[in-house]
Amino acid sequence: METTGIERRRNGEAPAERPGQRANAADRHVGARIRERRVMMGLSQQQLAKMIGVTYQQAHKYERGLNRISAGRLFEIGQVLGVPVSWFFEGLAPEGGGNEASPRQRMCLELARNFALIDNEKHQEALSQMARALAAQSQAERDGQP
């Protein structure tokens, strides 16, 4: 005789999960990628929620991977964030693999977060110009130009 989830909980066992019932590693990865892109763009969760027509709480659940995102909603989020749907799945490790952010990814997120906190637009523009100049210099060095 098969036991129910309630009986398992009474016996101290975890209830068996049905496929598709709960969010999984892929949902958490997609949520993390949404958060990463949102932060890169300097948007708050409230702003993103408004842009995609959901509540702040729902956007928060999407980012945490607590709620699954339908294909249509993910397409809409991709359009709002300016990325193709495939971008959300980049770096998704096979089942059981970790998807910890690299030190470089963490640094990029921190840079985007801090940039978004700068209120002075002239300061933001100065930083942006400096980043462009440094990137151009690095590219020239890679291409072998003095």
Side-chain angles (χ1 to χ4, degrees):
M1 181 171 99
E2 192 171 316
T3 58
T4 66
I6 294 171
E7 291 168 334
R8 284 190 195 102
R9 280 192 294 274
R10 283 186 194 140
N11 294 333
E13 300 174 39
E17 290 183 21
R18 290 183 297 224
Q21 185 179 20
R22 303 199 94 199
N24 62 24
D27 298 307
R28 289 188 296 275
H29 177 82
V30 168
R33 294 287 283 172
I34 291 171
R35 181 176 193 280
E36 178 182 339
R37 183 65 179 165
R38 175 183 60 76
V39 169
M40 281 184 199
M41 294 182 69
L43 296 172
S44 69
Q45 277 185 341
Q46 291 89 345
Q47 290 169 317
L48 175 63
K50 187 174 184 179
M51 293 168 84
I52 62 173
V54 299
T55 64
Y56 156 77
Q57 291 87 349
Q58 185 63 45
H60 179 74
K61 287 178 181 181
Y62 285 158
E63 287 189 6
R64 299 267 324 272
L66 300 174
N67 284 8
R68 289 200 163 162
I69 305 170
S70 70
R73 177 77 68 204
L74 190 58
F75 180 77
E76 186 177 1
I77 292 170
Q79 287 188 314
V80 165
L81 297 178
V83 294
V85 171
S86 61
W87 185 89
F88 298 110
F89 297 94
E90 289 175 6
L92 180 60
E95 194 67 32
N99 60 347
E100 177 122 355
S102 70
R104 185 178 183 99
Q105 288 172 318
R106 283 193 294 275
M107 183 173 46
C108 287
L109 280 173
E110 183 181 359
L111 177 64
R113 232 180 264 121
N114 290 331
F115 184 86
L117 292 173
I118 298 171
D119 292 330
N120 187 316
E121 287 185 28
K122 288 182 181 180
H123 291 165
Q124 282 185 330
E125 181 58 34
L127 278 173
S128 183
Q129 287 177 3
M130 182 178 74
R132 274 194 295 274
L134 290 172
Q137 180 183 354
S138 292
Q139 184 66 45
E141 289 172 2
R142 276 193 299 272
D143 294 344
Q145 299 172 0

